[in-house]
Amino acid sequence: MPHLKLRDGAELFYKDWGNPNGSIVIFSHGWPLSSDNWENQMFYLADQGYRVIAHDRRGHGRSTQTWHGNNMDTFVDDLEELFSYLKVKDAVMVGHSHGGGEVTHYLGKHGTGRFKKAVLVGAVPPLMLKTNSNPEGTEKSVFDTFRQAMRKDRAQFFLDVPSGPFFGFNRSGAEKSEGQIRSWWQQGMNTSFKSAYDSIKDFSETDFTEDLKRINIPVLVLHGDDDQVVPIEAAGLKSSKLLPQGKLKIYKGGSHAIHNVNVEEVNKDLLDFIKS
């Protein structure tokens, strides 16, 4: 399995699928998952002739479980090393949830030189946390309960999240997938406790407002209007307005995991946007 040794000795796992000479699409996963969460989109686009690349964020999946560096600045610096090594250029960047924050901060910090477009799916920007200037955000006490649940029984907490709000399986009439739940649990438990714990603060308290304003390429924002994890009012609706070239598509009744639940629709939207 390919790994890249980073500047501090940590090893970053990545997948590099499809046509090696095809146009490049990069995927960044959400919390507390791995590149496996994008497998449907990666397979679909690779089958269309694209080169698709996805990494396991440090501390996640098959990457090194570092004790320090579980923060957005480190994550995006890791990506710049990976993109330099793989000679990424003229590519499209796609991120879900925490990974959408990673995409946003990468483009805000390192610029858009390697990329022509980006896609944010159920992404955390501009800011999840409720503040005086962000009244639509989520109370800090909610994220405190995440940390408490991890300390008490991480394994059970990582069953409760996918069984309920993540995929929207707690909604009346939802078609529950035991396989999706087990896959989420497995990915989450393969992430280090420290990285998963630290990342709660990272995805909830990082303010991406200025990053969004700096992104000078077209960005497609896909968000479910029944996202129980990252409510659209505090995220997709705001991000699409802050982005200089933002375009919003709302998935009616869509959960936080529209790319896992509404697979065919998301795949089509990605391909249409990439080709446009």
Side-chain angles (χ1 to χ4, degrees):
M1 295 189 295
H3 287 79
L4 173 66
K5 183 166 282 191
L6 300 169
R7 60 204 175 280
D8 63 350
E11 294 189 344
L12 196 72
F13 170 83
Y14 66 93
K15 300 175 182 179
D16 190 347
W17 294 359
N19 179 3
N21 299 312
S23 298
I24 299 173
V25 184
I26 305 286
F27 291 90
S28 289
H29 63 82
W31 176 90
L33 306 173
S34 72
S35 55
D36 293 350
N37 190 244
W38 280 115
E39 62 186 7
N40 281 319
Q41 286 70 41
M42 293 181 68
F43 179 78
Y44 174 76
L45 291 177
D47 206 36
Q48 298 283 332
Y50 290 88
R51 179 185 177 192
V52 293
I53 298 168
H55 66 295
D56 292 355
R57 197 170 297 120
R58 69 164 60 214
H60 297 65
R62 289 138 291 202
S63 294
T64 302
Q65 295 194 359
T66 52
W67 190 256
H68 299 290
N70 302 307
N71 58 74
M72 198 53 66
D73 276 328
T74 303
F75 296 150
V76 302
D77 290 348
D78 291 349
L79 283 188
E80 179 59 16
E81 284 195 59
L82 179 66
F83 298 159
S84 178
Y85 174 72
L86 295 176
K87 298 180 173 59
V88 170
K89 62 180 180 179
D90 201 29
V92 176
M93 205 173 190
V94 184
H96 171 244
S97 195
H98 193 194
E102 187 175 55
V103 167
T104 301
H105 192 53
Y106 172 87
L107 295 172
K109 181 177 182 180
H110 290 286
T112 57
R114 297 185 186 277
F115 294 92
K116 59 184 179 181
K117 294 179 181 179
V119 183
L120 303 179
V121 183
V124 298
L127 175 63
M128 283 194 75
L129 190 70
K130 183 176 182 178
T131 64
N132 290 336
S133 59
N134 187 44
E136 298 84 6
T138 303
E139 295 281 359
K140 183 176 180 292
S141 59
V142 173
F143 304 112
D144 289 339
T145 64
F146 290 0
R147 285 179 276 260
Q148 292 164 8
M150 279 195 66
R151 286 179 176 273
K152 179 181 179 181
D153 188 344
R154 174 166 78 135
Q156 184 59 52
F157 179 50
F158 280 10
L159 274 179
D160 294 340
V161 173
S163 297
F166 191 87
F167 297 107
F169 291 157
N170 56 339
R171 294 308 197 202
S172 176
E175 186 176 341
K176 196 169 186 177
S177 166
E178 188 65 28
Q180 291 272 28
I181 294 168
R182 292 186 184 188
S183 177
W184 199 102
W185 183 87
Q186 181 182 49
Q187 291 175 61
M189 293 303 291
N190 280 337
T191 291
S192 82
F193 190 104
K194 182 67 160 59
S195 293
Y197 190 89
D198 288 354
S199 290
I200 295 172
K201 178 180 177 67
D202 192 60
F203 72 65
S204 66
E205 298 184 25
T206 301
D207 190 339
F208 299 96
T209 301
E210 295 307 313
D211 291 323
L212 290 166
K213 293 177 181 178
R214 283 193 287 267
I215 299 174
N216 60 352
I217 56 175
V219 181
L220 176 64
V221 179
L222 304 179
H223 216 113
D225 66 2
D226 191 32
D227 189 328
Q228 301 171 68
V229 180
V230 183
I232 190 172
E233 293 79 11
L237 294 181
K238 287 189 171 184
S239 290
S240 60
K241 294 176 182 177
L242 288 166
L243 287 159
Q245 298 182 59
K247 178 183 178 182
L248 173 66
K249 177 179 177 180
I250 299 174
Y251 280 63
K252 185 67 176 176
S255 69
H256 185 54
I258 51 176
H259 63 299
N260 300 138
V261 177
N262 306 79
V263 176
E264 292 186 4
E265 188 177 356
V266 170
N267 287 353
K268 183 180 185 301
D269 286 339
L270 285 178
L271 183 61
D272 288 348
F273 180 67
I274 292 167
K275 293 171 68 175
S276 64

